Amino acid sequence: FEVIGSSTAGACVTKTGADYPGQMFIWNAFASMEQAMAATDKYDPMRATPELTAIREVQYNVMFKPLKSFTLEPASERLWRLNISPENVQPFVSKMTELETALRGAGHKVNVGVFQPIGGGVHETIHLRAVSQTYGESGRLLDDAFSGASWVSLWSEGLALVDEVISDNYEHCQIIYTAK
């Protein structure tokens, strides 16, 4: 991670909704897109050491750009992969920003992120992440939603901008490296 210039790196293990057994991924965070792109010159995951090749099967590699302010505090993460028409991306980001404010105002400790794939090929679409510190907190948020919380209308307005939900799962994410 240090060699490629990561400021932070981590792992996410899919807990529900996995496409295959043992689904997980390694992520790296960078201070800029320039640094993220430069990392591709320094490391190719398809050309790993024999030790790494023996314990993993790389599916693909992709970069993401956060489209709104996002606090990196990985934990219990619900991830939606979404198809959104280009003209609806910014209105969706605005609605998710509004939703995050309402959720926090309702007492939920949650970070909502919207991420644009860069070089994701056919594999990736817009990512929406709702991050809580525990699965219990994620459940409390769902209980609130199903009981008709006022902020659900913001979720519905945001969802109306989505053309298709490709996938919906929960992941357990953690930081495994930080630059010194």
Side-chain angles (χ1 to χ4, degrees), residues 91-152:
F92 179 79
V93 170
S94 296
K95 193 55 63 177
M96 292 303 102
T97 301
E98 191 179 346
L99 175 63
E100 180 180 61
T101 299
L103 287 167
R104 289 177 178 175
H108 295 287
K109 296 175 185 167
V110 64
N111 292 315
V112 176
V114 182
F115 301 88
Q116 171 74 52
I118 309 289
V122 299
H123 302 289
E124 287 299 350
T125 61
I126 297 289
H127 278 201
L128 171 64
R129 288 187 173 274
V131 182
S132 300
Q133 289 307 297
T134 67
Y135 287 104
E137 172 56 30
S138 295
R140 188 171 81 77
L141 192 148
L142 288 169
D143 285 340
D144 199 18
F146 283 109
S147 70
S150 61
W151 53 261
V152 172

Side-chain angles (χ1 to χ4, degrees), residues 10-171:
C12 293
V13 176
T14 303
K15 295 296 199 177
T16 69
D19 295 327
Y20 53 89
Q23 182 176 340
M24 59 90 61
F25 67 92
I26 301 296
W27 54 268
N28 291 271
F30 298 90
S32 68
M33 287 304 299
E34 179 181 4
Q35 290 175 350
M37 296 290 293
T40 64
D41 291 328
K42 298 173 184 172
Y43 176 70
D44 180 351
M46 301 302 182
R47 293 184 169 174
T49 64
E51 295 83 10
L52 276 178
T53 302
I55 63 170
R56 70 175 189 178
E57 181 181 328
V58 176
Q59 302 296 310
Y60 59 91
N61 191 22
V62 62
M63 288 168 272
F64 287 92
K65 170 70 175 146
L67 298 180
K68 64 176 280 308
S69 176
F70 180 73
T71 303
L72 183 59
E73 295 177 333
S76 164
E77 304 196 15
R78 188 166 181 186
L79 166 63
W80 294 266
R81 287 179 173 88
L82 307 170
N83 278 338
I84 302 175
S85 300
E87 66 274 8
N88 286 336
V89 171
Q90 191 52 52
F92 179 79
V93 170
S94 296
K95 193 55 63 177
M96 292 303 102
T97 301
E98 191 179 346
L99 175 63
E100 180 180 61
T101 299
L103 287 167
R104 289 177 178 175
H108 295 287
K109 296 175 185 167
V110 64
N111 292 315
V112 176
V114 182
F115 301 88
Q116 171 74 52
I118 309 289
V122 299
H123 302 289
E124 287 299 350
T125 61
I126 297 289
H127 278 201
L128 171 64
R129 288 187 173 274
V131 182
S132 300
Q133 289 307 297
T134 67
Y135 287 104
E137 172 56 30
S138 295
R140 188 171 81 77
L141 192 148
L142 288 169
D143 285 340
D144 199 18
F146 283 109
S147 70
S150 61
W151 53 261
V152 172
S153 63
L154 296 171
W155 170 252
S156 296
E157 291 168 18
L159 202 56
L161 298 166
V162 173
D163 297 317
E164 181 182 15
V165 176
I166 302 299
S167 67
D168 173 9
N169 59 37
Y170 273 94
E171 301 171 341

